Amino acid sequence: MALVNRLARNPSLELELEVCERFAESRAWISRHVLTKQPPGSIILMDRWYPSEAAFRRMVPFAKILQLNIERNVRTPDLHVGVVTAPDISWARAAARPRGLSSTVIHRLEDHVACTKAFEREIADHGWVLCRNEGMIEDATMQVISEIYRVLG
């Protein structure tokens, strides 16, 4: 977290790349030590985990972050689900939390809007599942469940 905080205070390509590399290394560790212990037939479902949403929205290109994962043999999820909330709703929800807007990455609504749009473009470009999170939780849950059944065939 200290590195992420340093990046937030003094943004640079070098620091952001280091954050991305550390995230990829931690995901590689999880791939080796946690995911291998899941029951046979389990579906690995991850929202933003694989692409590391905390870093791609700034200077390091999204493709580079995916490449960092590939180079470290990070397990590719069986189902990519990009959960997205309209930025104004997401911003209001975050502001209403007891800890408020505590992000070390996003400090302005305009940045949040740009990040959300960029993430939606990547979801579309990669053919991942887009799950909107503005409505009823049951609707989003049913969408994810139906996608899991689709993966199961």
Side-chain angles (χ1 to χ4, degrees):
M1 197 61 196
L3 182 61
V4 172
N5 289 333
R6 218 168 86 216
L7 173 63
R9 286 189 301 275
N10 299 300
S12 74
L13 179 59
E14 295 78 23
L15 273 178
E16 184 167 284
L17 185 57
E18 189 176 346
V19 167
C20 293
E21 289 169 344
R22 294 241 185 117
F23 283 162
E25 288 164 12
S26 69
R27 287 187 298 279
W29 185 91
I30 291 168
S31 293
R32 287 189 308 272
H33 299 283
V34 176
L35 299 182
T36 56
K37 295 181 177 145
Q38 300 310 301
S42 294
I43 292 178
I44 304 303
L45 168 71
M46 294 166 206
D47 161 41
R48 295 189 184 199
W49 181 79
Y50 188 74
S52 180
E53 55 84 26
F56 83 81
R57 47 184 134 183
R58 299 268 180 147
M59 296 169 269
V60 177
F62 191 83
K64 173 65 176 172
I65 293 171
L66 292 180
Q67 187 60 39
L68 291 171
N69 288 315
I70 292 165
E71 290 168 358
R72 288 162 176 77
N73 295 314
V74 171
R75 174 141 178 211
T76 303
D78 299 310
L79 177 59
H80 282 90
V81 177
V83 178
V84 178
T85 304
D88 57 328
I89 294 172
S90 175
W91 194 260
R93 286 177 183 172
R97 291 188 306 234
R99 71 174 194 260
L101 296 166
S102 60
S103 174
T104 57
V105 179
I106 300 294
H107 303 284
R108 299 177 317 141
L109 178 59
E110 298 80 28
D111 295 335
H112 187 54
V113 169
C115 167
T116 300
K117 287 180 181 177
F119 189 56
E120 287 176 347
R121 276 191 308 274
E122 294 299 339
I123 291 168
D125 290 351
H126 288 86
W128 297 342
V129 175
L130 173 64
C131 180
R132 306 252 14 130
N133 185 27
E134 292 96 6
M136 302 287 292
I137 188 68
E138 294 83 1
D139 295 338
T141 302
M142 289 310 298
Q143 180 188 5
V144 172
I145 289 170
S146 68
E147 292 295 337
I148 290 171
Y149 282 126
R150 187 186 57 74
V151 168
L152 291 173

